[in-house]
Amino acid sequence: MQIDIQFLPFPPNPHLLSDRVVVVIDVLRATSVMVQALSQGASEIIPIATVEEAFQMAKVFPRGSVLLGGERESQKIPGFDLGNSPREYVAERVKGKKLILTTTNGTKAFRMVSSGKEILAGSFLNIEATAQRCLKSDRDLLIFPSGDGGNLSLEDTICGGMLIELITQKGAPPIVLTDASQCAKILYQRFKDDPIEAFHLSHHGKELISRGFRDDLAYCCQINMIPLVPLFREGVVRFSD
Ligand code: MLT
């Protein structure tokens, strides 16, 4: 198995993806929200690129069966039911509902890697389950941090580094790491005792604090709280078997 990580969020060559597992990571906060919402009983999540598309998509389904969630500049979008704080996605709100989600970086990342053989949503909340799923698939892997406005994202890279460390610890050799994967693993080792330190150093972490979402950093930093892995298939995210 080869493990690669793409530091910047641009669409990879589709030919390179057709046989690979891709793990999309947006720790702050889109993939953390997906893991949380499905664990609280949301039936499925449809990741959407734009706000207009999200409103159009909501019209397709019976009233009351869908919720609109997401953010722009970290804030809830006018006319939406939920913002992008995982703490909002509790069973009382989301159980049995289809969720239409649009976020600045995370939901777009799923579209960029849609030609992957198997596309998973990873976060600290479900990191061990994600590692196990990758090992079970036993295919080459591309970790795809969704970044921050097209730039590298420290917290996503560190989460990717943790995934690489878990897979290399638990998997049978040969596991080949690209130089990018080695870099992410080394970076994770720097922060492994206190990943939230990295959140506080990161651009988006600081932005979330300044916008009133400090508690989301602590929430998204919880490791292995949810032993399930969302799978993106045919435009929809659901928990995998
Ligand atoms: C994103 O997709 O860019 C994020 O999840 C942004 C956020 O939650 O503030």
Side-chain angles (χ1 to χ4, degrees):
M1 178 198 286
Q2 189 212 51
I3 308 180
D4 194 12
I5 180 167
Q6 182 176 310
F7 290 128
L8 297 176
F10 57 83
N13 181 340
H15 300 298
L16 292 178
L17 292 190
S18 57
D19 210 27
R20 288 199 201 196
V21 173
V22 182
V23 180
V24 176
I25 298 179
D26 185 359
V27 169
L28 295 176
R29 299 168 289 177
T31 53
S32 300
V33 162
M34 288 178 177
V35 174
Q36 166 73 12
L38 292 172
S39 78
Q40 294 292 303
S43 59
E44 58 186 36
I45 300 169
I46 306 177
I48 295 284
T50 70
V51 173
E52 295 68 31
E53 251 187 285
F55 280 122
Q56 290 305 321
M57 180 66 82
K59 289 184 194 154
V60 171
F61 301 103
R63 192 179 280 250
S65 68
V66 291
L67 293 171
L68 282 163
E71 56 70 42
R72 285 297 179 271
E73 297 185 353
S74 308
Q75 306 295 343
K76 182 172 151 186
I77 297 161
F80 272 39
D81 303 293
L82 296 155
N84 205 38
S85 167
R87 294 173 299 127
E88 291 177 69
Y89 289 76
V90 291
E92 296 70 41
R93 294 296 314 270
V94 302
K95 196 161 189 211
K97 305 280 188 190
K98 199 184 289 287
L99 189 64
I100 296 171
L101 189 71
T102 179
T103 70
T104 309
N105 304 290
T107 55
K108 292 185 186 112
F110 283 87
R111 301 288 159 150
M112 291 187 206
V113 297
S114 58
S115 53
K117 178 84 183 164
E118 192 169 84
I119 303 156
L120 310 174
S123 69
F124 283 115
L125 300 176
N126 70 336
I127 190 91
E128 173 72 37
T130 307
Q132 292 297 349
R133 174 73 197 210
C134 294
L135 286 166
K136 195 172 137 200
S137 294
D138 197 23
R139 290 178 184 276
D140 288 348
L141 174 64
L142 177 68
I143 300 171
F144 195 79
S146 59
D148 181 12
N151 298 309
L152 182 146
S153 150
L154 181 59
E155 67 279 8
D156 294 343
T157 306
I158 285 166
C159 185
M162 183 172 184
L163 184 60
I164 294 162
E165 177 148 302
L166 288 173
I167 295 171
T168 45
Q169 277 169 359
K170 290 166 197 285
I175 295 179
V176 177
L177 302 190
T178 61
D179 283 11
S181 289
Q182 296 284 8
C183 291
K185 189 163 159 263
I186 290 165
L187 195 63
Y188 163 65
Q189 282 157 356
R190 158 68 182 79
F191 290 102
K192 74 189 293 177
D193 296 329
D194 189 15
I196 204 159
E197 185 195 348
F199 286 22
H200 284 266
L201 287 175
S202 77
H203 172 259
H204 192 48
K206 288 179 186 151
E207 211 166 50
L208 284 172
I209 291 172
S210 73
R211 293 170 175 171
F213 297 105
R214 178 183 288 275
D215 290 349
D216 283 354
L217 274 60
Y219 200 88
C220 295
C221 207
Q222 299 175 94
I223 290 170
N224 292 336
M225 202 174 72
I226 299 168
L228 296 161
V229 189
L231 175 71
F232 177 64
R233 186 182 286 152
E234 290 165 4
V236 175
V237 179
R238 296 191 187 94
F239 274 142
S240 61
D241 326 316

mmCIF file with all atom_site columns, all heavy atoms in Angstrom, residues 26 28-30 71 73-74 84 103-107 146-147 204 208, ligand 1:
data_model
loop_
_atom_site.group_PDB
_atom_site.id
_atom_site.type_symbol
_atom_site.label_atom_id
_atom_site.label_alt_id
_atom_site.label_comp_id
_atom_site.label_asym_id
_atom_site.label_entity_id
_atom_site.label_seq_id
_atom_site.pdbx_PDB_ins_code
_atom_site.Cartn_x
_atom_site.Cartn_y
_atom_site.Cartn_z
_atom_site.occupancy
_atom_site.B_iso_or_equiv
_atom_site.pdbx_formal_charge
_atom_site.auth_seq_id
_atom_site.auth_comp_id
_atom_site.auth_asym_id
_atom_site.auth_atom_id
_atom_site.pdbx_PDB_model_num
ATOM   1   N N   . ASP A 1 26  ? -11.502 17.647 6.814  1.00 0.00 ? 26  ASP A N   1
ATOM   2   C CA  . ASP A 1 26  ? -11.714 19.060 7.154  1.00 0.00 ? 26  ASP A CA  1
ATOM   3   C C   . ASP A 1 26  ? -12.086 19.111 8.643  1.00 0.00 ? 26  ASP A C   1
ATOM   4   O O   . ASP A 1 26  ? -13.256 19.174 9.009  1.00 0.00 ? 26  ASP A O   1
ATOM   5   C CB  . ASP A 1 26  ? -12.815 19.682 6.302  1.00 0.00 ? 26  ASP A CB  1
ATOM   6   C CG  . ASP A 1 26  ? -12.955 21.179 6.574  1.00 0.00 ? 26  ASP A CG  1
ATOM   7   O OD1 . ASP A 1 26  ? -12.218 21.711 7.435  1.00 0.00 ? 26  ASP A OD1 1
ATOM   8   O OD2 . ASP A 1 26  ? -13.800 21.822 5.939  1.00 0.00 ? 26  ASP A OD2 1
ATOM   9   N N   . LEU A 1 28  ? -11.733 21.303 10.979 1.00 0.00 ? 28  LEU A N   1
ATOM   10  C CA  . LEU A 1 28  ? -12.450 22.518 11.418 1.00 0.00 ? 28  LEU A CA  1
ATOM   11  C C   . LEU A 1 28  ? -13.238 23.075 10.234 1.00 0.00 ? 28  LEU A C   1
ATOM   12  O O   . LEU A 1 28  ? -12.781 23.981 9.581  1.00 0.00 ? 28  LEU A O   1
ATOM   13  C CB  . LEU A 1 28  ? -11.445 23.572 11.926 1.00 0.00 ? 28  LEU A CB  1
ATOM   14  C CG  . LEU A 1 28  ? -10.652 23.229 13.183 1.00 0.00 ? 28  LEU A CG  1
ATOM   15  C CD1 . LEU A 1 28  ? -9.618  24.317 13.505 1.00 0.00 ? 28  LEU A CD1 1
ATOM   16  C CD2 . LEU A 1 28  ? -11.564 23.054 14.378 1.00 0.00 ? 28  LEU A CD2 1
ATOM   17  N N   . ARG A 1 29  ? -14.489 22.566 9.927  1.00 0.00 ? 29  ARG A N   1
ATOM   18  C CA  . ARG A 1 29  ? -15.221 21.692 10.756 1.00 0.00 ? 29  ARG A CA  1
ATOM   19  C C   . ARG A 1 29  ? -16.059 20.692 9.938  1.00 0.00 ? 29  ARG A C   1
ATOM   20  O O   . ARG A 1 29  ? -16.834 19.917 10.504 1.00 0.00 ? 29  ARG A O   1
ATOM   21  C CB  . ARG A 1 29  ? -16.190 22.523 11.604 1.00 0.00 ? 29  ARG A CB  1
ATOM   22  C CG  . ARG A 1 29  ? -15.493 23.543 12.544 1.00 0.00 ? 29  ARG A CG  1
ATOM   23  C CD  . ARG A 1 29  ? -16.420 24.551 13.152 1.00 0.00 ? 29  ARG A CD  1
ATOM   24  N NE  . ARG A 1 29  ? -16.880 25.504 12.159 1.00 0.00 ? 29  ARG A NE  1
ATOM   25  C CZ  . ARG A 1 29  ? -17.763 26.477 12.409 1.00 0.00 ? 29  ARG A CZ  1
ATOM   26  N NH1 . ARG A 1 29  ? -18.268 26.611 13.611 1.00 0.00 ? 29  ARG A NH1 1
ATOM   27  N NH2 . ARG A 1 29  ? -18.137 27.314 11.463 1.00 0.00 ? 29  ARG A NH2 1
ATOM   28  N N   . ALA A 1 30  ? -15.953 20.760 8.585  1.00 0.00 ? 30  ALA A N   1
ATOM   29  C CA  . ALA A 1 30  ? -16.946 20.045 7.761  1.00 0.00 ? 30  ALA A CA  1
ATOM   30  C C   . ALA A 1 30  ? -16.976 18.531 7.973  1.00 0.00 ? 30  ALA A C   1
ATOM   31  O O   . ALA A 1 30  ? -18.063 17.947 8.100  1.00 0.00 ? 30  ALA A O   1
ATOM   32  C CB  . ALA A 1 30  ? -16.748 20.369 6.287  1.00 0.00 ? 30  ALA A CB  1
ATOM   33  N N   . GLU A 1 71  ? -21.936 26.845 6.386  1.00 0.00 ? 71  GLU A N   1
ATOM   34  C CA  . GLU A 1 71  ? -21.451 28.174 6.773  1.00 0.00 ? 71  GLU A CA  1
ATOM   35  C C   . GLU A 1 71  ? -20.892 28.935 5.591  1.00 0.00 ? 71  GLU A C   1
ATOM   36  O O   . GLU A 1 71  ? -20.528 28.346 4.569  1.00 0.00 ? 71  GLU A O   1
ATOM   37  C CB  . GLU A 1 71  ? -20.368 28.062 7.851  1.00 0.00 ? 71  GLU A CB  1
ATOM   38  C CG  . GLU A 1 71  ? -19.159 27.185 7.495  1.00 0.00 ? 71  GLU A CG  1
ATOM   39  C CD  . GLU A 1 71  ? -18.203 27.697 6.439  1.00 0.00 ? 71  GLU A CD  1
ATOM   40  O OE1 . GLU A 1 71  ? -17.888 28.907 6.454  1.00 0.00 ? 71  GLU A OE1 1
ATOM   41  O OE2 . GLU A 1 71  ? -17.757 26.909 5.586  1.00 0.00 ? 71  GLU A OE2 1
ATOM   42  N N   . GLU A 1 73  ? -17.998 32.195 5.874  1.00 0.00 ? 73  GLU A N   1
ATOM   43  C CA  . GLU A 1 73  ? -17.211 32.944 6.870  1.00 0.00 ? 73  GLU A CA  1
ATOM   44  C C   . GLU A 1 73  ? -17.537 32.421 8.273  1.00 0.00 ? 73  GLU A C   1
ATOM   45  O O   . GLU A 1 73  ? -17.691 33.196 9.222  1.00 0.00 ? 73  GLU A O   1
ATOM   46  C CB  . GLU A 1 73  ? -17.421 34.440 6.724  1.00 0.00 ? 73  GLU A CB  1
ATOM   47  C CG  . GLU A 1 73  ? -16.926 34.895 5.357  1.00 0.00 ? 73  GLU A CG  1
ATOM   48  C CD  . GLU A 1 73  ? -16.959 36.377 5.132  1.00 0.00 ? 73  GLU A CD  1
ATOM   49  O OE1 . GLU A 1 73  ? -17.496 37.087 5.990  1.00 0.00 ? 73  GLU A OE1 1
ATOM   50  O OE2 . GLU A 1 73  ? -16.433 36.804 4.092  1.00 0.00 ? 73  GLU A OE2 1
ATOM   51  N N   . SER A 1 74  ? -17.687 31.125 8.364  1.00 0.00 ? 74  SER A N   1
ATOM   52  C CA  . SER A 1 74  ? -17.927 30.376 9.618  1.00 0.00 ? 74  SER A CA  1
ATOM   53  C C   . SER A 1 74  ? -19.325 30.558 10.199 1.00 0.00 ? 74  SER A C   1
ATOM   54  O O   . SER A 1 74  ? -19.692 29.862 11.150 1.00 0.00 ? 74  SER A O   1
ATOM   55  C CB  . SER A 1 74  ? -16.897 30.733 10.707 1.00 0.00 ? 74  SER A CB  1
ATOM   56  O OG  . SER A 1 74  ? -15.599 30.614 10.227 1.00 0.00 ? 74  SER A OG  1
ATOM   57  N N   . ASN A 1 84  ? -22.377 25.482 11.085 1.00 0.00 ? 84  ASN A N   1
ATOM   58  C CA  . ASN A 1 84  ? -21.371 24.438 10.859 1.00 0.00 ? 84  ASN A CA  1
ATOM   59  C C   . ASN A 1 84  ? -20.628 24.090 12.142 1.00 0.00 ? 84  ASN A C   1
ATOM   60  O O   . ASN A 1 84  ? -19.476 23.688 12.098 1.00 0.00 ? 84  ASN A O   1
ATOM   61  C CB  . ASN A 1 84  ? -20.380 24.869 9.776  1.00 0.00 ? 84  ASN A CB  1
ATOM   62  C CG  . ASN A 1 84  ? -19.734 23.684 9.097  1.00 0.00 ? 84  ASN A CG  1
ATOM   63  O OD1 . ASN A 1 84  ? -20.392 22.668 8.873  1.00 0.00 ? 84  ASN A OD1 1
ATOM   64  N ND2 . ASN A 1 84  ? -18.455 23.796 8.786  1.00 0.00 ? 84  ASN A ND2 1
ATOM   65  N N   . THR A 1 103 ? -20.201 24.165 2.688  1.00 0.00 ? 103 THR A N   1
ATOM   66  C CA  . THR A 1 103 ? -19.196 24.871 3.493  1.00 0.00 ? 103 THR A CA  1
ATOM   67  C C   . THR A 1 103 ? -18.142 25.455 2.557  1.00 0.00 ? 103 THR A C   1
ATOM   68  O O   . THR A 1 103 ? -18.061 25.097 1.379  1.00 0.00 ? 103 THR A O   1
ATOM   69  C CB  . THR A 1 103 ? -18.532 23.930 4.517  1.00 0.00 ? 103 THR A CB  1
ATOM   70  O OG1 . THR A 1 103 ? -17.704 23.000 3.827  1.00 0.00 ? 103 THR A OG1 1
ATOM   71  C CG2 . THR A 1 103 ? -19.558 23.179 5.355  1.00 0.00 ? 103 THR A CG2 1
ATOM   72  N N   . THR A 1 104 ? -17.313 26.318 3.110  1.00 0.00 ? 104 THR A N   1
ATOM   73  C CA  . THR A 1 104 ? -16.360 27.053 2.272  1.00 0.00 ? 104 THR A CA  1
ATOM   74  C C   . THR A 1 104 ? -15.368 26.124 1.569  1.00 0.00 ? 104 THR A C   1
ATOM   75  O O   . THR A 1 104 ? -15.099 26.281 0.375  1.00 0.00 ? 104 THR A O   1
ATOM   76  C CB  . THR A 1 104 ? -15.597 28.070 3.136  1.00 0.00 ? 104 THR A CB  1
ATOM   77  O OG1 . THR A 1 104 ? -16.547 28.839 3.867  1.00 0.00 ? 104 THR A OG1 1
ATOM   78  C CG2 . THR A 1 104 ? -14.732 28.985 2.293  1.00 0.00 ? 104 THR A CG2 1
ATOM   79  N N   . ASN A 1 105 ? -14.825 25.171 2.301  1.00 0.00 ? 105 ASN A N   1
ATOM   80  C CA  . ASN A 1 105 ? -13.787 24.307 1.727  1.00 0.00 ? 105 ASN A CA  1
ATOM   81  C C   . ASN A 1 105 ? -14.182 22.826 1.689  1.00 0.00 ? 105 ASN A C   1
ATOM   82  O O   . ASN A 1 105 ? -13.970 22.154 0.693  1.00 0.00 ? 105 ASN A O   1
ATOM   83  C CB  . ASN A 1 105 ? -12.491 24.413 2.560  1.00 0.00 ? 105 ASN A CB  1
ATOM   84  C CG  . ASN A 1 105 ? -11.999 25.835 2.675  1.00 0.00 ? 105 ASN A CG  1
ATOM   85  O OD1 . ASN A 1 105 ? -11.529 26.430 1.719  1.00 0.00 ? 105 ASN A OD1 1
ATOM   86  N ND2 . ASN A 1 105 ? -12.104 26.411 3.875  1.00 0.00 ? 105 ASN A ND2 1
ATOM   87  N N   . GLY A 1 106 ? -14.724 22.352 2.801  1.00 0.00 ? 106 GLY A N   1
ATOM   88  C CA  . GLY A 1 106 ? -14.900 20.902 2.981  1.00 0.00 ? 106 GLY A CA  1
ATOM   89  C C   . GLY A 1 106 ? -15.819 20.270 1.966  1.00 0.00 ? 106 GLY A C   1
ATOM   90  O O   . GLY A 1 106 ? -15.484 19.231 1.366  1.00 0.00 ? 106 GLY A O   1
ATOM   91  N N   . THR A 1 107 ? -17.002 20.827 1.758  1.00 0.00 ? 107 THR A N   1
ATOM   92  C CA  . THR A 1 107 ? -17.944 20.145 0.853  1.00 0.00 ? 107 THR A CA  1
ATOM   93  C C   . THR A 1 107 ? -17.431 20.213 -0.594 1.00 0.00 ? 107 THR A C   1
ATOM   94  O O   . THR A 1 107 ? -17.682 19.302 -1.381 1.00 0.00 ? 107 THR A O   1
ATOM   95  C CB  . THR A 1 107 ? -19.369 20.720 0.971  1.00 0.00 ? 107 THR A CB  1
ATOM   96  O OG1 . THR A 1 107 ? -19.352 22.130 0.741  1.00 0.00 ? 107 THR A OG1 1
ATOM   97  C CG2 . THR A 1 107 ? -19.953 20.454 2.353  1.00 0.00 ? 107 THR A CG2 1
ATOM   98  N N   . SER A 1 146 ? -8.758  19.405 3.118  1.00 0.00 ? 146 SER A N   1
ATOM   99  C CA  . SER A 1 146 ? -9.531  20.321 2.268  1.00 0.00 ? 146 SER A CA  1
ATOM   100 C C   . SER A 1 146 ? -9.009  21.754 2.320  1.00 0.00 ? 146 SER A C   1
ATOM   101 O O   . SER A 1 146 ? -9.460  22.608 1.561  1.00 0.00 ? 146 SER A O   1
ATOM   102 C CB  . SER A 1 146 ? -11.008 20.260 2.611  1.00 0.00 ? 146 SER A CB  1
ATOM   103 O OG  . SER A 1 146 ? -11.184 20.604 3.930  1.00 0.00 ? 146 SER A OG  1
ATOM   104 N N   . GLY A 1 147 ? -8.041  22.001 3.215  1.00 0.00 ? 147 GLY A N   1
ATOM   105 C CA  . GLY A 1 147 ? -7.318  23.272 3.163  1.00 0.00 ? 147 GLY A CA  1
ATOM   106 C C   . GLY A 1 147 ? -8.123  24.448 3.667  1.00 0.00 ? 147 GLY A C   1
ATOM   107 O O   . GLY A 1 147 ? -9.220  24.311 4.233  1.00 0.00 ? 147 GLY A O   1
ATOM   108 N N   . HIS A 1 204 ? -7.185  29.063 10.454 1.00 0.00 ? 204 HIS A N   1
ATOM   109 C CA  . HIS A 1 204 ? -8.632  28.895 10.607 1.00 0.00 ? 204 HIS A CA  1
ATOM   110 C C   . HIS A 1 204 ? -9.033  28.714 12.071 1.00 0.00 ? 204 HIS A C   1
ATOM   111 O O   . HIS A 1 204 ? -10.119 29.144 12.478 1.00 0.00 ? 204 HIS A O   1
ATOM   112 C CB  . HIS A 1 204 ? -9.136  27.728 9.758  1.00 0.00 ? 204 HIS A CB  1
ATOM   113 C CG  . HIS A 1 204 ? -10.623 27.687 9.655  1.00 0.00 ? 204 HIS A CG  1
ATOM   114 N ND1 . HIS A 1 204 ? -11.392 28.792 9.340  1.00 0.00 ? 204 HIS A ND1 1
ATOM   115 C CD2 . HIS A 1 204 ? -11.504 26.684 9.874  1.00 0.00 ? 204 HIS A CD2 1
ATOM   116 C CE1 . HIS A 1 204 ? -12.673 28.462 9.360  1.00 0.00 ? 204 HIS A CE1 1
ATOM   117 N NE2 . HIS A 1 204 ? -12.771 27.196 9.687  1.00 0.00 ? 204 HIS A NE2 1
ATOM   118 N N   . LEU A 1 208 ? -11.807 30.967 13.825 1.00 0.00 ? 208 LEU A N   1
ATOM   119 C CA  . LEU A 1 208 ? -12.990 30.449 14.533 1.00 0.00 ? 208 LEU A CA  1
ATOM   120 C C   . LEU A 1 208 ? -13.084 31.037 15.941 1.00 0.00 ? 208 LEU A C   1
ATOM   121 O O   . LEU A 1 208 ? -14.174 31.381 16.411 1.00 0.00 ? 208 LEU A O   1
ATOM   122 C CB  . LEU A 1 208 ? -12.953 28.917 14.583 1.00 0.00 ? 208 LEU A CB  1
ATOM   123 C CG  . LEU A 1 208 ? -13.315 28.200 13.285 1.00 0.00 ? 208 LEU A CG  1
ATOM   124 C CD1 . LEU A 1 208 ? -13.048 26.697 13.390 1.00 0.00 ? 208 LEU A CD1 1
ATOM   125 C CD2 . LEU A 1 208 ? -14.770 28.429 12.899 1.00 0.00 ? 208 LEU A CD2 1
HETATM 126 C C1  . MLT B 2 .   ? -14.983 24.670 5.593  1.00 0.00 ? 1   MLT B C1  1
HETATM 127 O O1  . MLT B 2 .   ? -15.524 23.780 4.927  1.00 0.00 ? 1   MLT B O1  1
HETATM 128 O O2  . MLT B 2 .   ? -14.297 25.532 5.097  1.00 0.00 ? 1   MLT B O2  1
HETATM 129 C C2  . MLT B 2 .   ? -15.115 24.725 7.076  1.00 0.00 ? 1   MLT B C2  1
HETATM 130 O O3  . MLT B 2 .   ? -15.751 23.661 7.565  1.00 0.00 ? 1   MLT B O3  1
HETATM 131 C C3  . MLT B 2 .   ? -15.290 26.116 7.564  1.00 0.00 ? 1   MLT B C3  1
HETATM 132 C C4  . MLT B 2 .   ? -15.899 26.335 8.932  1.00 0.00 ? 1   MLT B C4  1
HETATM 133 O O4  . MLT B 2 .   ? -16.535 25.470 9.500  1.00 0.00 ? 1   MLT B O4  1
HETATM 134 O O5  . MLT B 2 .   ? -15.746 27.445 9.444  1.00 0.00 ? 1   MLT B O5  1
#
